[in-house]
Amino acid sequence: MIALVLIVANHAWALDTAWTNTGSGSFNDPGNWNNGVPTNTDVAYFTNGATFTVNFTTNQQSKGMVISNGTTVILDLHDGTSRTYEATIVGSGATAGNPLTGDGQIFIRNAALVVTDPGVLDLNNTPNYNSGKRLDLLRSTLIVSNGATVNYGYVAALAGYGGDRIVVTGTNSLLDGDDWDALNSGSTMIVTNGGRWSPSHLYADGGATVIVAGTSSRIDMGSVIFASGSSTVLASDGARWTSTSLV
């Protein structure tokens, strides 16, 4: 297993490094970055507007990840061996006005992140709404596919600004949360083709949509709160949804 450590922290621009290759390549190739391969003191930025695959062949670290500007990043976690991309948290928490002061977070802004093939993307710390282990989407897409696992604390799908889409698809694909997930108005969660979504709890704002479809597809969680307005929940074709309570 190979570990990639991610932590998002302050805007320490001198330490940031951005992917410059408009094509695919290896995370640990310094030629793909404008300031060298990220370390555990760096934030990795993917902002060039291209679509590409990032491969992992060795242990890697970074303080965190930001994807924006129409960029689509495909993290391929398997090169014949399952890789683990681990996010370790240090430092202070985020604030509403400056979310990047939080650590161990992935921010996706008008962009897409695809995590694919057997391996683990692990945001490793105590979950917190404003800081640890947060996956934060705005007008963006997150896809977990082909047997990949994403371990996280909290998902914030800020879809009221235009719509977010989260898809877990394929046998053994897993989106596994430790705290509350928030699906805001206009956001869509799809679990299909044997995928599994397992947040601790779910808060669904009015206008959110959750779809689970296909044999062996599963949603397992604790409490569920449907807030003001109407949300849509669809389960079909042998899929399963379990929760401890529904409000």
Side-chain angles (χ1 to χ4, degrees):
M1 300 288 281
I2 288 184
L4 169 61
V5 180
L6 273 177
I7 309 165
V8 177
N10 295 330
H11 288 280
W13 297 107
L15 298 177
D16 295 342
T17 184
W19 183 272
T20 57
N21 188 352
T22 57
S24 302
S26 175
F27 188 95
N28 61 303
D29 182 353
N32 291 323
W33 303 92
N34 71 346
N35 197 25
V37 176
T39 70
N40 63 359
T41 61
D42 306 325
V43 175
Y45 281 80
F46 298 92
T47 60
N48 63 14
T51 298
F52 48 84
T53 298
V54 178
N55 302 298
F56 297 95
T57 58
T58 62
N59 287 2
Q60 298 298 330
Q61 297 183 340
S62 72
K63 289 181 72 175
M65 181 181 291
V66 176
I67 307 168
S68 63
N69 193 37
T71 305
T72 296
V73 180
I74 303 167
L75 300 182
D76 188 345
L77 298 176
H78 198 279
D79 66 340
T81 300
S82 295
R83 308 299 178 184
T84 297
Y85 181 164
E86 183 178 356
T88 300
I89 314 305
V90 295
S92 61
T95 64
N98 187 15
L100 284 180
T101 61
D103 302 313
Q105 303 184 69
I106 296 177
F107 286 83
I108 312 171
R109 295 290 185 267
N110 300 294
L113 172 61
V114 180
V115 184
T116 188
D117 294 347
V120 179
L121 170 59
D122 188 6
L123 283 69
N124 180 19
N125 192 55
T126 302
N128 181 277
Y129 175 84
N130 282 325
S131 56
K133 303 182 72 172
R134 176 165 171 159
L135 288 166
D136 198 296
L137 287 78
L138 179 65
R139 294 185 292 268
S140 295
T141 297
L142 169 66
I143 299 175
V144 183
S145 67
N146 297 331
T149 295
V150 176
N151 295 325
Y152 65 99
Y154 177 85
V155 164
L158 307 175
Y161 294 92
D164 294 314
R165 185 168 175 261
I166 302 172
V167 180
V168 185
T169 180
T171 302
N172 296 323
S173 297
L174 173 63
L175 186 61
D176 188 17
D178 295 333
D179 205 343
W180 283 92
D181 281 5
L183 300 180
N184 290 337
S185 177
S187 60
T188 301
M189 166 66 74
I190 300 172
V191 181
T192 188
N193 298 322
R196 182 184 174 199
W197 176 36
S198 183
S200 288
H201 310 284
L202 171 64
Y203 176 92
D205 205 352
T209 299
V210 179
I211 299 170
V212 54
T215 303
S216 300
S217 300
R218 295 173 53 188
I219 296 177
D220 300 307
M221 65 181 66
S223 57
V224 181
I225 296 177
F226 291 105
S228 60
S230 60
S231 295
T232 301
V233 177
L234 301 173
S236 65
D237 301 325
R240 188 181 78 178
W241 177 321
T242 61
S243 63
T244 57
S245 66
L246 179 63
V247 180

